[in-house]
Amino acid sequence: MTRLSGPVAVLGLGTMGSGLATRLLDQGVQVRVWNRTAERTGPLARAGAFAAAHPADAVEGTSAAICTVADGEALGAVLRGPDGILTGGPYPGALVCASTVAPEEVVSLAGNMQSVLDVGMLGNREHARTGELRLFVGGEKRVFTAGRPLLDLLGKEVVHLGELGSGMRMKLLLNLLMGIEVQALAEAVELAAATGLDRKLVLSTIAGSGFASPVMSFKSKRLAAGRFDKPDFRLRLMAKDLMLAADQAAEAGLRLPLAAAAAETHIRATEQGFGDEDCVAVAHALTPNPGSHT
C-alpha cells in the first residue's frame, strides 16, 4: 500500500469527490471532507472521515487538498472566499484542482502558489471509488513527482502533460468528444422514433455495433429506460464544459462547428430545466415536447 505523508482533504462531494474520498478511506488514508451542502458529508463521516465546517478547517494539518467543486466560481470561493483554503496564507501542502474549469482560471486562481496540480479525470463514480480513473495532470514536474503517490492511489493511469492548465485542456477535449457522441446518439434515436422504428431495438443495435464507443453503449441503456435521474455527469456541467471548449477554440482561432452545435443544444436543454439530470437528457432539447423519452 502506498503511504502518504499526512491526511488528505477532499473539498466538494459530488459524484467524483465522494468517490475519491471513499477510495482514500478504503486505502487507510486519513481524510477530511467539506461540502457546501453539509449533509453530503454524513456517509463519509460515518465511514471515518472528519467533516469540516469550512474549507480552511478541512485542510488543517493535511499534506494535500483535492478540489472537486462544480465550476470556476465555486473553486474561487473554496480557495479565496471567506474561510477559504488560502485566506490565512499559502497552503503548505499539494493543491490538486480536479474541478473542470478554464485552464487560464486554474493558473489565475493558483496565483503564486508553488505546489499546484490541475488534474483532468477520465472515468465515472465507480472508477473513482475503485482507483480505476485515468488522470491527466498539469503542473511543474517536481510538484507532479511529489504528488505521484497520491495520484497513484486514485488512478490506474497517471500522465503528466506539462505546465499548469494542461490537465484542464485535456479534460475539455475529452468532454467535448463525449458531449458530441452522446448528442449524436440521442439524435439518431429521435430520428428513428420519428420515422417509425422501435426506439429500444435501435438502441440495442447501435450499442452492439462497431459505431458505438463505450460511452454510447453505456448511455444507450439510460435512453432505453428513459431514466435520467441519479446522474453520472450532470447536463449543466456538460453544457459548461462545452462552452469552455468553445472558448478555447475561439482563442486559438479555430472554428469547431460540431462543438458549437453541441454547446447550443446542451444549453437549451439546461434552460428547459433538465440541467441536474444525466447529460444524456440532452435528448429533451431535440423534440417539440420535452420530457417524452420513454
Side-chain angles (χ1 to χ4, degrees):
M1 182 184 296
T2 302
R3 294 292 179 184
L4 303 182
S5 59
V8 175
V10 179
L11 302 104
L13 300 176
T15 299
M16 300 303 286
S18 295
L20 294 175
T22 300
R23 169 65 176 173
L24 291 170
L25 287 170
D26 288 346
Q27 293 298 300
V29 178
Q30 293 182 349
V31 179
R32 298 171 69 90
V33 296
W34 172 86
N35 192 70
R36 182 176 59 84
T37 307
E39 54 261 31
R40 283 197 178 180
T41 64
L44 289 164
R46 289 190 289 273
F50 173 82
H54 49 71
D57 182 27
V59 301
E60 185 175 344
T62 59
S63 61
I66 306 172
C67 297
T68 54
V69 293
D71 52 33
E73 182 179 357
L75 180 60
V78 164
L79 295 180
R80 301 185 183 277
D83 295 316
I85 294 174
L86 305 178
T87 51
Y91 173 58
L95 182 62
V96 179
C97 295
S99 307
T100 305
V101 301
E104 299 78 14
E105 200 160 11
V106 172
V107 175
S108 176
L109 287 169
N112 59 1
M113 277 196 64
Q114 299 300 309
S115 298
V116 184
L117 298 172
D118 68 307
V119 179
M121 299 186 292
L122 181 60
N124 57 34
R125 71 179 79 197
E126 188 59 28
H127 296 136
R129 290 191 188 112
T130 58
E132 293 292 306
L133 294 170
R134 297 171 65 196
L135 304 177
F136 300 94
V137 188
E140 292 185 20
K141 181 68 174 180
R142 62 168 186 82
V143 181
F144 171 74
T145 300
R148 186 70 190 256
L150 172 60
L151 298 173
D152 282 339
L153 281 181
L154 303 176
K156 66 178 182 179
E157 179 183 5
V158 180
V159 180
H160 183 232
L161 298 175
E163 65 183 4
L164 191 64
S166 299
M168 288 302 99
R169 292 187 178 93
M170 177 64 85
K171 178 63 174 176
L172 291 177
L173 295 180
L174 294 170
N175 281 1
L176 168 62
L177 286 171
M178 183 167 75
I180 290 173
E181 282 187 6
V182 172
Q183 180 167 327
L185 174 66
E187 289 187 15
V189 173
E190 291 305 317
L191 178 59
T195 55
L197 294 176
D198 180 83
R199 183 188 299 270
K200 291 185 178 181
L201 177 59
V202 168
L203 280 165
S204 65
T205 301
I206 293 172
S209 74
F211 301 112
S213 67
V215 166
M216 279 193 182
S217 296
F218 182 66
K219 294 300 184 183
S220 67
K221 297 176 183 177
R222 280 191 176 272
L223 277 172
R227 292 293 301 274
F228 307 144
D229 59 342
K230 298 180 181 178
D232 303 298
F233 187 43
R234 295 181 191 275
L235 177 72
R236 61 180 171 83
L237 298 181
M238 179 61 81
K240 178 260 298 180
D241 291 354
L242 288 169
M243 286 299 299
L244 289 174
D247 290 343
Q248 291 285 297
E251 290 177 12
L254 295 176
R255 180 176 175 271
L256 302 181
L258 290 175
E264 190 276 332
T265 311
H266 281 73
I267 290 169
R268 185 163 69 250
T270 301
E271 290 173 344
Q272 290 172 345
F274 304 110
D276 283 321
E277 295 186 353
D278 188 81
C279 63
V280 78
V282 69
H284 288 307
L286 305 177
T287 64
N289 298 307
S292 56
H293 292 277
T294 57

